[in-house]
Amino acid sequence: QSVVTQPPSASGTPGQRVTISCSGSGSNVGSNTVNWYHQVPGTAPKLLIYNNSQRPSGVPGRFSGSKSGTSASLAISGLQSEDEADYYCAAWDDSLTAWVFGGGTKLTVL
Amino acid sequence: VQLVESGGGLVQPGGSLTLSCAASGFTFSDFYMSWIRQAPGKGLEWISYISSRGSNSIYIDSVKGRFSISRDNVRNIVSLHMSSLGVEDTATYYCARGGGSLIDHWGQGTLVTVSS
């Protein structure tokens, strides 16, 4: 059971906007920045969003992140078939003295 | 940035294994390094990090006393020595850059299977 909670699945049609939530507590999401990773099954995770809302070089602008209190969200606009992947949020947990990952959300493009 | 793990394989319960990660494309000695694992069909679990100079390292509770992280800043290698392995340690193990703050780049992973 992850200390950071994500919905196990999400879906949308091409062109739609989808959001994925990430709910934590005061010791992790509430007090530290949130990063998002995406992982195509069988491959390594890649950084998608860091510091709650920053995009690394090369990540399209249709990916955006936000945080409020102990919750964070990843939004994907203009959904494309290649966005089908697993998405994970992560934050440092001050109480556990460890990085904690959400359980992951499998995004399906219908 | 390139991170290449090696050393995975099949090991019996109670056995030991050492994973290595060769880093290139960045100034290795400037960065914390982490190991993260993913059990088959499951999510990501951060295991450990080591500071840039190797003076500090931390572990999750489930591997404390069994796993040991180390680094060689001359050869640009970070290692994870694992002992007293159990079936619950079966996973793909990823080496990643960062840990003190952002974890940003990951290797391709190496599979460790603990089975008799």
Side-chain angles (χ1 to χ4, degrees):
Chain A
Q1 190 83 6
S2 302
V3 298
V4 176
T5 303
Q6 296 179 232
S9 63
S11 63
T13 56
Q16 266 191 331
R17 181 178 187 271
V18 297
T19 61
I20 297 172
S21 62
C22 172
S23 179
S25 67
S27 63
N28 44 66
V29 175
S31 53
N32 295 294
T33 60
V34 175
N35 307 314
W36 289 90
Y37 302 88
H38 71 143
Q39 182 182 34
V40 175
T43 69
K46 292 183 180 179
L47 181 64
L48 193 63
I49 296 288
Y50 67 99
N51 289 354
N52 303 325
S53 60
Q54 304 300 304
R55 287 188 308 275
S57 173
V59 173
R62 54 196 189 80
F63 292 91
S64 62
S66 64
K67 191 184 93 166
S68 179
T70 59
S71 293
S73 290
L74 172 71
I76 309 171
S77 59
L79 198 62
Q80 299 180 6
S81 57
E82 56 261 38
D83 298 333
E84 197 161 275
D86 296 321
Y87 292 80
Y88 295 90
C89 62
W92 179 257
D93 191 296
D94 294 328
S95 296
L96 297 174
T97 318
W99 283 95
V100 290
F101 286 88
T105 298
K106 181 177 183 60
L107 176 63
T108 301
V109 180
L110 302 170
Chain B
V1 175
Q2 190 170 17
L3 300 167
V4 180
E5 301 94 336
S6 60
L10 176 64
V11 60
Q12 291 191 336
S16 299
L17 204 61
T18 297
L19 307 181
S20 295
C21 170
S24 60
F26 64 101
T27 304
F28 182 71
S29 58
D30 284 350
F31 289 86
Y32 281 48
M33 296 296 295
S34 289
W35 285 95
I36 298 157
R37 67 184 178 184
Q38 185 171 34
K42 302 296 184 181
L44 301 168
E45 180 181 46
W46 175 86
I47 302 170
S48 173
Y49 77 51
I50 187 167
S51 60
S52 56
R53 296 187 179 185
S55 56
N56 182 39
S57 58
I58 61 173
Y59 305 86
I60 57 169
D61 286 347
S62 61
V63 307
K64 279 180 185 174
R66 300 190 301 121
F67 289 14
S68 177
I69 191 171
S70 61
R71 66 187 296 158
D72 183 333
N73 282 353
V74 174
R75 297 168 60 208
N76 292 355
I77 292 174
V78 59
S79 299
L80 185 70
H81 178 68
M82 306 182 293
S83 62
S84 302
L85 286 163
V87 294
E88 68 277 8
D89 296 313
T90 293
T92 295
Y93 285 73
Y94 294 101
C95 161
R97 189 177 80 168
S101 55
L102 176 65
I103 295 173
D104 58 1
H105 290 274
W106 302 57
Q108 86 288 349
T110 187
L111 178 62
V112 173
T113 303
V114 184
S115 175
S116 54

